[in-house]
Structures are given as C-alpha cells and as structure tokens.
Amino acid sequence: MTNRNANKNWRAATKLVHGGTTRSQFGETSEALHLTQGYVYDSAEAAEARFKGEDDGYIYSRYANPTVSMFEERMCLLEGAQSGKATATGMAAVTAAIACQVKAGDHVVAARALFGSCRWVIEILMPKFGIDITLVDGTRLDEWEKAIGPKTKVCFLESPTNPTLELIDIAKVAELAHRVGARLVIDNVFATPIWQSPLELGADIVVYSSTKHIDGQGRCLGGIVLADEEFIDEEFYDYFRHTGPSLSPFNAWTMLKGLETLDLRVRKQTQNASRIADFLADETKIERVIYPGRSDHPQYELAQRQMKGASTIVAFEVKGGKTAAFKFENALDIILLSNNLGDAKSLITHPATTTHKNLSEEDRAALNINDGLLRLSVGLEDVDDLVDDLAGALRGV
Ligand SMILES: *Cc1c(COP(=O)(O)O)cnc(C)c1O
C-alpha cells in the first residue's frame, strides 16, 4: 500500500476527492474495496510483532480495514479532526461516543430536541446503567449552566435540531462544559461537515450518521466518531474494538464515493432549499416557514455566526393541522414520502406521526412539533419542478 498523504491545506472539495486515498500495488484510480475479514502474516514472528503493536498493519476488520481507514482519514481531513473511527450506523456512533466515557454515578446533560433514537439512548438506556441525565432546552444557556455540575462528564446536542431547525450556541455550551471538565459531543448530521465545523467552535467530539448526506444517495447505513487522538486512543478505541460497531468495508467504499460529490450536492441542495423556503414563505396556506438561511429565523444571527451555509432541510407548517398536512403530502408527485433525509431525492415527512410519534403530546408541544408541521429534505431535482410540485399540492389543501 502506498499512502499519498493529503495536504491539510487543501480546500474541502479537494480533500473530499483525494483525501486519505491509499493505493495497492496495482495503482488503481478509484479506491479499492478490501472486502476481507482478516489479514495473513508472513511468519509467526510477524504475527507476534503485529499483536505487540510493533508494526501498524491490520489484524482484524472489526478493529480496522484499509477501505474503512480511507473513509476515516478523508473525514478527519474534512472535519479537521486528529482521529476518527467509522461505525455501522449513526446510532452506533452516538451510543459509542457517549457510553465509552461514562460509568454509574456520572451525569450527562443533553438538549431535549434530539433525533428520536438519540433521545432514547440518553433518556431510557443511560439511566439503566446508573447514569444520571438532565434534558434541557438547548437554546437556553441558563438551563445548560444550571444543569452542568461537578459530576457532568458529557454534554450532547444537535444543531440545527430535528425537525424544527432550532440552533444551539456550540461555542457557549462548550465553554460551560469545559468549566467542569466535561466533553461536548455534537451530532452534526443536519448541519453537514460542509456548513458547520463543531471542533473549530470548541466542541470535543463530532458524530455523524453518514447514512444521510455523506452517502447522499439512499444506499448504505454508516456513521463516524471524530475527535482528538487522545480521546480516540485512550477512551474510545477499546470500547469500539470489543463491542464491535464497525462499519462494513463495502459501506465504507460507498461512503468514500459519496464524499467525492458531497460538497457539490450539499451546495446545490441548499440552494434548492433556500429557493423553496422563500416560495413557501409567500404562500397564504402556510402558517410558518423555518429555515436558518432566512432573516425571519429566530436565530438568524447565530446561524450567520456559527454556520458557513444554511440547510438542505426546510421545515414548515401547513394551516389546517394533520388533515391539511396529510392532504398536502398525498398530493405530491415528485417529492417522496420518507422519513430519511440528505438524499439526492427530495423527501418529506410528517414528524408528529412518524419520527416523533413516540414522544408524549406534552413533549411534542415543548418541541413545537405540531400537527401541521412537515419536514422537507430537499434533493437534487430541478428546483422549478420541486416548486411546481409544492404549488400543485398546496392548491388542493
Ligand atoms: C439519522 C440520524 C441519526 C441516526 O443515524 P442512523 O444512521 O440512522 O443510525 C442520528 N442523528 C441524526 C440527527 C440523524 O438524522
């Protein structure tokens, strides 16, 4: 294997095409798919040396694999992280990133507005192991400040949040966490690595579901945890290696191909989303549009400061509650009904009856997820066709 070290000064789009590539003796152009579980040694002595850590070759694909390593390296370059480990799903990344740091008696503080399964991990799973948890309104710094105490080990949030696209001040929460020696973990899925760099803002660990924009074409599940070398080596690696949430080499290969076009896709999808947000804002049958790139977003100033671009996702509320929202969804032609996001295909979902149906009515109300709310993940179609589709569906409401 030859490793052409990527230049850290390359701009994101260049890193996404060339970063982390290693080539076999055949000099292939496209990244090789090393679909192997294990590795063979030239001698018994070589095997012994590798297990002693005297050479850094591969041992077993639950620990590391050359195709997976290329994906990890490319993500590290993009994110400006020293180290990273890829996981089978985004949820495996979130769970491992938090669980590896805590023990019974420790305290975790998280924002209330979380992806459904993330909230389950914090609210239901962690307390089973004796970990104390506090959920806060992530937009309120006074609540973070009050909740974070001497036993707090981890703070966790996503920004923008799912599905109402609220923003949380990452730099400020990082400062509060660091006062007590806690680490801040950011789920950066909605922002994408193109529009937000949490490590630069002061966060300690970034997690992704690469199932979303990174694959971007609806094929494979995957995830990644990115942080400094000390955290990955000292706290994360043993947990990862022994519990086994590793990414399949095939999925890593798909993600590598996805990364080549990530910059292009996220920019185009954001451009489409921005145009759609403006279109919807002018429609009388729409109660409100939530889009971080519009100056009427309640946290527009924070969006400008914290993010390099807006969002590929638009949230909006149709007047007339669930009946109107369902009628609208059912009348769409191009835009597909699906709870996924970040895809080349535009996808729409009704959070109250799908992604957030497990929350109580009070919890949904606290998160402003009402019955007219829809979440639209904008794809790569011609934006005029998408606007026509939305306008046609609105006419029937
Ligand atoms: C999808 C998603 C996850 C979970 O990722 P999977 O790959 O489905 O396990 C976590 N957080 C956010 C914000 C997501 O959108």
mmCIF file of all heavy atoms in Angstrom, residues 88-94 114-118 156 158 160-162 187-190 207-212 220-223 339-341 375, ligand 1:
data_model
loop_
_atom_site.group_PDB
_atom_site.id
_atom_site.type_symbol
_atom_site.label_atom_id
_atom_site.label_comp_id
_atom_site.label_asym_id
_atom_site.label_seq_id
_atom_site.Cartn_x
_atom_site.Cartn_y
_atom_site.Cartn_z
ATOM 1 N N ALA A 88 -21.107 1.313 12.149
ATOM 2 C CA ALA A 88 -22.088 0.685 11.269
ATOM 3 C C ALA A 88 -23.285 1.577 10.973
ATOM 4 O O ALA A 88 -23.907 1.474 9.910
ATOM 5 C CB ALA A 88 -22.568 -0.624 11.897
ATOM 6 N N THR A 89 -23.629 2.455 11.912
ATOM 7 C CA THR A 89 -24.761 3.379 11.750
ATOM 8 C C THR A 89 -24.452 4.662 12.514
ATOM 9 O O THR A 89 -23.506 4.698 13.323
ATOM 10 C CB THR A 89 -26.072 2.793 12.349
ATOM 11 O OG1 THR A 89 -25.894 2.664 13.770
ATOM 12 C CG2 THR A 89 -26.438 1.436 11.755
ATOM 13 N N GLY A 90 -25.277 5.653 12.311
ATOM 14 C CA GLY A 90 -25.151 6.879 13.098
ATOM 15 C C GLY A 90 -25.433 6.605 14.563
ATOM 16 O O GLY A 90 -24.766 7.146 15.451
ATOM 17 N N MET A 91 -26.417 5.755 14.836
ATOM 18 C CA MET A 91 -26.747 5.458 16.234
ATOM 19 C C MET A 91 -25.614 4.729 16.946
ATOM 20 O O MET A 91 -25.383 4.941 18.139
ATOM 21 C CB MET A 91 -28.054 4.648 16.337
ATOM 22 C CG MET A 91 -29.312 5.481 16.145
ATOM 23 S SD MET A 91 -29.258 7.135 16.895
ATOM 24 C CE MET A 91 -28.920 6.753 18.612
ATOM 25 N N ALA A 92 -24.902 3.859 16.215
ATOM 26 C CA ALA A 92 -23.739 3.192 16.810
ATOM 27 C C ALA A 92 -22.691 4.240 17.178
ATOM 28 O O ALA A 92 -22.051 4.143 18.234
ATOM 29 C CB ALA A 92 -23.158 2.167 15.854
ATOM 30 N N ALA A 93 -22.539 5.266 16.345
ATOM 31 C CA ALA A 93 -21.566 6.334 16.617
ATOM 32 C C ALA A 93 -21.959 7.116 17.868
ATOM 33 O O ALA A 93 -21.134 7.349 18.765
ATOM 34 C CB ALA A 93 -21.453 7.265 15.411
ATOM 35 N N VAL A 94 -23.219 7.518 17.947
ATOM 36 C CA VAL A 94 -23.699 8.302 19.090
ATOM 37 C C VAL A 94 -23.552 7.496 20.383
ATOM 38 O O VAL A 94 -23.005 7.981 21.383
ATOM 39 C CB VAL A 94 -25.190 8.705 18.896
ATOM 40 C CG1 VAL A 94 -25.778 9.279 20.177
ATOM 41 C CG2 VAL A 94 -25.329 9.692 17.735
ATOM 42 N N LEU A 114 -33.771 16.205 20.159
ATOM 43 C CA LEU A 114 -32.802 15.258 19.601
ATOM 44 C C LEU A 114 -33.501 14.335 18.625
ATOM 45 O O LEU A 114 -34.703 14.093 18.733
ATOM 46 C CB LEU A 114 -32.208 14.386 20.707
ATOM 47 C CG LEU A 114 -31.272 15.007 21.743
ATOM 48 C CD1 LEU A 114 -30.862 13.938 22.751
ATOM 49 C CD2 LEU A 114 -30.033 15.601 21.085
ATOM 50 N N PHE A 115 -32.727 13.781 17.710
ATOM 51 C CA PHE A 115 -33.176 12.686 16.866
ATOM 52 C C PHE A 115 -33.758 11.608 17.794
ATOM 53 O O PHE A 115 -33.190 11.349 18.862
ATOM 54 C CB PHE A 115 -31.954 12.163 16.097
ATOM 55 C CG PHE A 115 -32.232 11.039 15.172
ATOM 56 C CD1 PHE A 115 -32.838 11.277 13.942
ATOM 57 C CD2 PHE A 115 -31.891 9.729 15.510
ATOM 58 C CE1 PHE A 115 -33.089 10.229 13.074
ATOM 59 C CE2 PHE A 115 -32.143 8.688 14.647
ATOM 60 C CZ PHE A 115 -32.742 8.938 13.424
ATOM 61 N N GLY A 116 -34.902 11.020 17.417
ATOM 62 C CA GLY A 116 -35.648 10.119 18.298
ATOM 63 C C GLY A 116 -34.814 9.072 19.010
ATOM 64 O O GLY A 116 -34.903 8.915 20.233
ATOM 65 N N SER A 117 -33.981 8.344 18.284
ATOM 66 C CA SER A 117 -33.196 7.275 18.904
ATOM 67 C C SER A 117 -32.112 7.831 19.826
ATOM 68 O O SER A 117 -31.775 7.194 20.831
ATOM 69 C CB SER A 117 -32.565 6.385 17.829
ATOM 70 O OG SER A 117 -33.574 5.690 17.140
ATOM 71 N N CYS A 118 -31.579 9.003 19.507
ATOM 72 C CA CYS A 118 -30.592 9.632 20.403
ATOM 73 C C CYS A 118 -31.251 9.939 21.738
ATOM 74 O O CYS A 118 -30.671 9.725 22.802
ATOM 75 C CB CYS A 118 -30.040 10.920 19.800
ATOM 76 S SG CYS A 118 -29.091 10.674 18.296
ATOM 77 N N PHE A 156 -24.394 16.776 25.297
ATOM 78 C CA PHE A 156 -24.710 16.271 23.958
ATOM 79 C C PHE A 156 -25.815 17.106 23.327
ATOM 80 O O PHE A 156 -26.816 17.417 23.973
ATOM 81 C CB PHE A 156 -25.152 14.800 24.073
ATOM 82 C CG PHE A 156 -25.549 14.177 22.758
ATOM 83 C CD1 PHE A 156 -24.641 14.063 21.723
ATOM 84 C CD2 PHE A 156 -26.848 13.712 22.566
ATOM 85 C CE1 PHE A 156 -25.011 13.492 20.502
ATOM 86 C CE2 PHE A 156 -27.230 13.140 21.356
ATOM 87 C CZ PHE A 156 -26.307 13.024 20.326
ATOM 88 N N GLU A 158 -27.593 18.409 19.159
ATOM 89 C CA GLU A 158 -27.534 18.543 17.707
ATOM 90 C C GLU A 158 -27.990 19.955 17.354
ATOM 91 O O GLU A 158 -28.828 20.545 18.036
ATOM 92 C CB GLU A 158 -28.403 17.492 17.012
ATOM 93 C CG GLU A 158 -29.856 17.475 17.435
ATOM 94 C CD GLU A 158 -30.680 16.403 16.715
ATOM 95 O OE1 GLU A 158 -30.415 15.217 16.926
ATOM 96 O OE2 GLU A 158 -31.584 16.770 15.948
ATOM 97 N N PRO A 160 -28.358 22.374 13.513
ATOM 98 C CA PRO A 160 -29.773 22.596 13.793
ATOM 99 C C PRO A 160 -30.454 21.296 14.241
ATOM 100 O O PRO A 160 -30.021 20.214 13.900
ATOM 101 C CB PRO A 160 -30.346 23.045 12.443
ATOM 102 C CG PRO A 160 -29.173 23.502 11.635
ATOM 103 C CD PRO A 160 -28.017 22.698 12.107
ATOM 104 N N THR A 161 -31.552 21.477 15.001
ATOM 105 C CA THR A 161 -32.242 20.323 15.558
ATOM 106 C C THR A 161 -33.254 19.749 14.566
ATOM 107 O O THR A 161 -33.694 20.409 13.641
ATOM 108 C CB THR A 161 -33.001 20.715 16.833
ATOM 109 O OG1 THR A 161 -34.001 21.689 16.487
ATOM 110 C CG2 THR A 161 -32.081 21.305 17.877
ATOM 111 N N ASN A 162 -33.605 18.499 14.823
ATOM 112 C CA ASN A 162 -34.598 17.783 14.051
ATOM 113 C C ASN A 162 -35.915 17.783 14.826
ATOM 114 O O ASN A 162 -35.908 17.346 15.967
ATOM 115 C CB ASN A 162 -34.108 16.338 13.859
ATOM 116 C CG ASN A 162 -35.101 15.457 13.165
ATOM 117 O OD1 ASN A 162 -35.918 15.911 12.382
ATOM 118 N ND2 ASN A 162 -35.049 14.169 13.470
ATOM 119 N N ASP A 187 -23.853 16.078 17.474
ATOM 120 C CA ASP A 187 -24.419 15.326 16.356
ATOM 121 C C ASP A 187 -24.599 16.349 15.224
ATOM 122 O O ASP A 187 -25.480 17.195 15.271
ATOM 123 C CB ASP A 187 -25.760 14.719 16.800
ATOM 124 C CG ASP A 187 -26.467 13.960 15.687
ATOM 125 O OD1 ASP A 187 -26.151 14.183 14.508
ATOM 126 O OD2 ASP A 187 -27.359 13.151 16.018
ATOM 127 N N ASN A 188 -23.703 16.260 14.226
ATOM 128 C CA ASN A 188 -23.635 17.320 13.202
ATOM 129 C C ASN A 188 -24.358 16.935 11.901
ATOM 130 O O ASN A 188 -24.082 17.510 10.849
ATOM 131 C CB ASN A 188 -22.158 17.626 12.911
ATOM 132 C CG ASN A 188 -21.919 19.045 12.434
ATOM 133 O OD1 ASN A 188 -22.546 19.990 12.931
ATOM 134 N ND2 ASN A 188 -21.026 19.213 11.472
ATOM 135 N N VAL A 189 -25.270 15.987 11.985
ATOM 136 C CA VAL A 189 -25.918 15.451 10.781
ATOM 137 C C VAL A 189 -26.675 16.530 10.000
ATOM 138 O O VAL A 189 -26.504 16.666 8.793
ATOM 139 C CB VAL A 189 -26.868 14.291 11.139
ATOM 140 C CG1 VAL A 189 -27.744 13.919 9.956
ATOM 141 C CG2 VAL A 189 -26.066 13.080 11.576
ATOM 142 N N PHE A 190 -27.513 17.293 10.694
ATOM 143 C CA PHE A 190 -28.338 18.269 9.974
ATOM 144 C C PHE A 190 -27.489 19.379 9.355
ATOM 145 O O PHE A 190 -27.798 19.884 8.290
ATOM 146 C CB PHE A 190 -29.420 18.863 10.901
ATOM 147 C CG PHE A 190 -30.687 18.066 10.869
ATOM 148 C CD1 PHE A 190 -30.678 16.709 11.124
ATOM 149 C CD2 PHE A 190 -31.907 18.667 10.560
ATOM 150 C CE1 PHE A 190 -31.839 15.950 11.062
ATOM 151 C CE2 PHE A 190 -33.079 17.923 10.502
ATOM 152 C CZ PHE A 190 -33.046 16.569 10.761
ATOM 153 N N VAL A 207 -20.079 13.573 15.891
ATOM 154 C CA VAL A 207 -20.587 12.307 15.348
ATOM 155 C C VAL A 207 -21.477 12.584 14.142
ATOM 156 O O VAL A 207 -22.149 13.615 14.068
ATOM 157 C CB VAL A 207 -21.383 11.492 16.402
ATOM 158 C CG1 VAL A 207 -20.481 11.019 17.519
ATOM 159 C CG2 VAL A 207 -22.547 12.275 16.964
ATOM 160 N N TYR A 208 -21.431 11.642 13.209
ATOM 161 C CA TYR A 208 -22.298 11.704 12.024
ATOM 162 C C TYR A 208 -23.015 10.390 11.832
ATOM 163 O O TYR A 208 -22.446 9.322 12.074
ATOM 164 C CB TYR A 208 -21.475 11.941 10.742
ATOM 165 C CG TYR A 208 -20.954 13.338 10.616
ATOM 166 C CD1 TYR A 208 -19.631 13.616 10.909
ATOM 167 C CD2 TYR A 208 -21.787 14.363 10.204
ATOM 168 C CE1 TYR A 208 -19.149 14.909 10.805
ATOM 169 C CE2 TYR A 208 -21.311 15.661 10.095
ATOM 170 C CZ TYR A 208 -19.995 15.928 10.399
ATOM 171 O OH TYR A 208 -19.522 17.203 10.291
ATOM 172 N N SER A 209 -24.218 10.497 11.309
ATOM 173 C CA SER A 209 -24.831 9.391 10.602
ATOM 174 C C SER A 209 -24.440 9.628 9.145
ATOM 175 O O SER A 209 -24.929 10.566 8.516
ATOM 176 C CB SER A 209 -26.358 9.448 10.756
ATOM 177 O OG SER A 209 -26.950 8.646 9.750
ATOM 178 N N SER A 210 -23.542 8.810 8.612
ATOM 179 C CA SER A 210 -23.140 9.001 7.209
ATOM 180 C C SER A 210 -24.187 8.426 6.267
ATOM 181 O O SER A 210 -24.076 8.526 5.053
ATOM 182 C CB SER A 210 -21.752 8.398 6.953
ATOM 183 O OG SER A 210 -21.748 7.026 7.230
ATOM 184 N N THR A 211 -25.217 7.819 6.863
ATOM 185 C CA THR A 211 -26.404 7.374 6.126
ATOM 186 C C THR A 211 -27.048 8.543 5.368
ATOM 187 O O THR A 211 -27.674 8.352 4.333
ATOM 188 C CB THR A 211 -27.443 6.842 7.149
ATOM 189 O OG1 THR A 211 -26.787 5.947 8.049
ATOM 190 C CG2 THR A 211 -28.603 6.159 6.476
ATOM 191 N N LYS A 212 -26.896 9.738 5.894
ATOM 192 C CA LYS A 212 -27.605 10.906 5.368
ATOM 193 C C LYS A 212 -26.801 11.544 4.233
ATOM 194 O O LYS A 212 -26.560 10.899 3.246
ATOM 195 C CB LYS A 212 -27.902 11.882 6.517
ATOM 196 C CG LYS A 212 -28.532 11.198 7.745
ATOM 197 C CD LYS A 212 -29.897 10.589 7.462
ATOM 198 C CE LYS A 212 -30.358 9.612 8.536
ATOM 199 N NZ LYS A 212 -30.398 10.135 9.900
ATOM 200 N N CYS A 220 -26.507 3.073 1.781
ATOM 201 C CA CYS A 220 -25.927 2.340 2.913
ATOM 202 C C CYS A 220 -26.074 3.103 4.223
ATOM 203 O O CYS A 220 -26.045 4.324 4.254
ATOM 204 C CB CYS A 220 -24.436 2.123 2.681
ATOM 205 S SG CYS A 220 -24.105 1.032 1.317
ATOM 206 N N LEU A 221 -26.144 2.339 5.313
ATOM 207 C CA LEU A 221 -26.090 2.925 6.651
ATOM 208 C C LEU A 221 -24.629 3.060 7.072
ATOM 209 O O LEU A 221 -23.802 2.221 6.714
ATOM 210 C CB LEU A 221 -26.802 2.019 7.652
ATOM 211 C CG LEU A 221 -28.292 1.741 7.426
ATOM 212 C CD1 LEU A 221 -28.755 0.660 8.395
ATOM 213 C CD2 LEU A 221 -29.110 2.992 7.616
ATOM 214 N N GLY A 222 -24.341 4.078 7.831
ATOM 215 C CA GLY A 222 -22.985 4.237 8.352
ATOM 216 C C GLY A 222 -22.918 5.393 9.317
ATOM 217 O O GLY A 222 -23.875 6.166 9.462
ATOM 218 N N GLY A 223 -21.774 5.494 10.001
ATOM 219 C CA GLY A 223 -21.575 6.604 10.936
ATOM 220 C C GLY A 223 -20.102 6.783 11.216
ATOM 221 O O GLY A 223 -19.268 5.986 10.764
ATOM 222 N N ASN A 339 -39.080 9.122 5.795
ATOM 223 C CA ASN A 339 -38.533 9.746 6.998
ATOM 224 C C ASN A 339 -37.023 9.930 6.919
ATOM 225 O O ASN A 339 -36.409 10.420 7.856
ATOM 226 C CB ASN A 339 -38.886 8.905 8.223
ATOM 227 C CG ASN A 339 -38.630 7.445 7.980
ATOM 228 O OD1 ASN A 339 -39.414 6.784 7.282
ATOM 229 N ND2 ASN A 339 -37.540 6.932 8.498
ATOM 230 N N ASN A 340 -36.396 9.528 5.806
ATOM 231 C CA ASN A 340 -34.951 9.713 5.658
ATOM 232 C C ASN A 340 -34.652 11.159 5.266
ATOM 233 O O ASN A 340 -35.578 11.950 5.025
ATOM 234 C CB ASN A 340 -34.430 8.738 4.604
ATOM 235 C CG ASN A 340 -32.968 8.383 4.840
ATOM 236 O OD1 ASN A 340 -32.308 8.925 5.722
ATOM 237 N ND2 ASN A 340 -32.464 7.478 4.033
ATOM 238 N N LEU A 341 -33.379 11.505 5.166
ATOM 239 C CA LEU A 341 -33.014 12.870 4.775
ATOM 240 C C LEU A 341 -31.610 12.883 4.190
ATOM 241 O O LEU A 341 -30.872 11.912 4.279
ATOM 242 C CB LEU A 341 -33.105 13.821 5.977
ATOM 243 C CG LEU A 341 -32.195 13.539 7.177
ATOM 244 C CD1 LEU A 341 -30.958 14.412 7.157
ATOM 245 C CD2 LEU A 341 -32.946 13.772 8.470
ATOM 246 N N ARG A 375 -41.464 18.224 7.468
ATOM 247 C CA ARG A 375 -40.017 18.403 7.296
ATOM 248 C C ARG A 375 -39.645 17.936 5.895
ATOM 249 O O ARG A 375 -39.869 16.787 5.542
ATOM 250 C CB ARG A 375 -39.277 17.577 8.341
ATOM 251 C CG ARG A 375 -37.763 17.785 8.328
ATOM 252 C CD ARG A 375 -37.038 16.701 9.091
ATOM 253 N NE ARG A 375 -36.975 15.467 8.329
ATOM 254 C CZ ARG A 375 -36.600 14.293 8.830
ATOM 255 N NH1 ARG A 375 -36.293 14.170 10.097
ATOM 256 N NH2 ARG A 375 -36.557 13.206 8.074
HETATM 257 C C1 LIG B 1 -30.355 9.623 11.084
HETATM 258 C C2 LIG B 1 -29.821 10.322 12.261
HETATM 259 C C3 LIG B 1 -29.177 9.619 13.286
HETATM 260 C C4 LIG B 1 -29.047 8.118 13.284
HETATM 261 O O1 LIG B 1 -28.359 7.623 12.186
HETATM 262 P P1 LIG B 1 -28.547 6.131 11.612
HETATM 263 O O2 LIG B 1 -27.501 6.055 10.559
HETATM 264 O O3 LIG B 1 -29.941 6.041 11.096
HETATM 265 O O4 LIG B 1 -28.312 5.205 12.751
HETATM 266 C C5 LIG B 1 -28.699 10.336 14.368
HETATM 267 N N1 LIG B 1 -28.838 11.671 14.436
HETATM 268 C C6 LIG B 1 -29.450 12.387 13.462
HETATM 269 C C7 LIG B 1 -29.575 13.857 13.606
HETATM 270 C C8 LIG B 1 -29.963 11.738 12.347
HETATM 271 O O5 LIG B 1 -30.576 12.444 11.391
#
